[in-house]
Amino acid sequence: LLEDSSAEVQILTKSAAVRDVFKLIEEKEDYRKRVNVGMSITGLQEHEDLIRVIEPNASPISERIKAMHEAHERGLRTYATFGPILPGLFRDADHIAELLKLARDWGAERIWCEPVNARGTSLVNCEKDLRAAGFEKEADEVHAIQKQKVWSKYAMGLTRDIQKAARALGLM
């Protein structure tokens, strides 16, 4: 794709193995300009045990963060996606700011944040997995947002907290 077109390429992953493509991106200045490396982060390192339950095949949060710092140190373009952000993991705008600081520190050009999607069976499965792993409080919060009105309140509050944190950090 890089060789045969002039397309802009966005890489988004939950895997620290993205490091394997850094050398390829560095091969040509044109690639450096056209490729933007992104990492999806669902929580902070303090949430590592919980995140492992809901993302069993993803790299640990700490490894994802290290990979993005490495990309930045190598001069690669980066961005961040924070999501889905589960209810209860982030109490307020100050706590959300800790997420946003990660992206700021690795030089993210863009930051995407998203609430958890309430459609389908993902919330039911997430709740079940959290309970099985002993995360009762978090499972209760996931259960609560399965009701549309509660989900809407959660999503609006999360959006306000993200905007407040981003303004406080000078990101918007």
Side-chain angles (χ1 to χ4, degrees):
L1 180 64
L2 289 173
E3 191 64 36
D4 296 333
S5 78
S6 61
E8 293 256 337
V9 177
Q10 308 293 314
I11 298 170
L12 179 62
T13 184
K14 291 179 184 262
S15 175
V18 72
R19 288 177 172 119
D20 296 346
V21 300
F22 291 175
K23 261 191 169 165
L24 171 69
I25 299 167
E26 292 170 325
E27 281 181 11
K28 295 184 180 177
E29 187 58 33
D30 179 55
Y31 294 175
R32 282 181 174 273
K33 291 177 184 173
R34 293 190 294 129
V35 178
N36 202 333
V37 180
M39 188 64 71
S40 180
I41 307 270
T42 313
L44 298 169
Q45 290 181 56
E46 68 191 61
H47 306 126
E48 198 94 60
D49 291 341
L50 183 144
I51 301 300
R52 200 170 296 119
V53 171
I54 60 173
E55 297 178 343
N57 299 315
S59 294
I61 298 292
S62 56
E63 290 301 312
R64 296 185 225 180
I65 294 168
K66 285 179 191 173
M68 295 310 294
H69 279 288
E70 182 180 336
H72 179 61
E73 289 165 6
R74 292 172 85 149
L76 304 180
R77 296 175 60 206
T78 63
Y79 71 104
T81 297
F82 296 117
I85 300 174
L86 291 175
L89 289 191
F90 298 94
R91 300 175 298 281
D92 54 32
D94 290 337
H95 207 196
I96 289 283
E98 295 305 311
L99 263 184
L100 299 180
K101 285 176 189 176
L102 292 173
R104 180 195 64 192
D105 291 349
W106 75 55
E109 294 176 9
R110 290 184 314 271
I111 302 171
W112 301 89
C113 299
E114 65 173 324
V116 67
N117 189 333
R119 294 185 304 266
T121 61
S122 62
L123 284 180
V124 173
N125 294 334
C126 181
E127 176 191 353
K128 182 183 78 157
D129 292 344
L130 289 170
R131 285 197 198 288
F135 292 100
E136 293 296 326
K137 177 181 160 282
E138 293 83 356
D140 289 344
E141 297 207 32
V142 169
H143 177 78
I145 66 166
Q146 292 175 39
K147 297 179 183 100
Q148 181 61 41
K149 282 187 177 183
V150 179
W151 181 88
S152 293
K153 184 178 176 184
Y154 141 78
M156 292 301 295
L158 179 63
T159 301
R160 278 191 301 273
D161 285 347
I162 290 166
Q163 290 173 337
K164 182 178 178 183
R167 282 189 191 97
L169 293 170
L171 298 173
M172 56 182 297

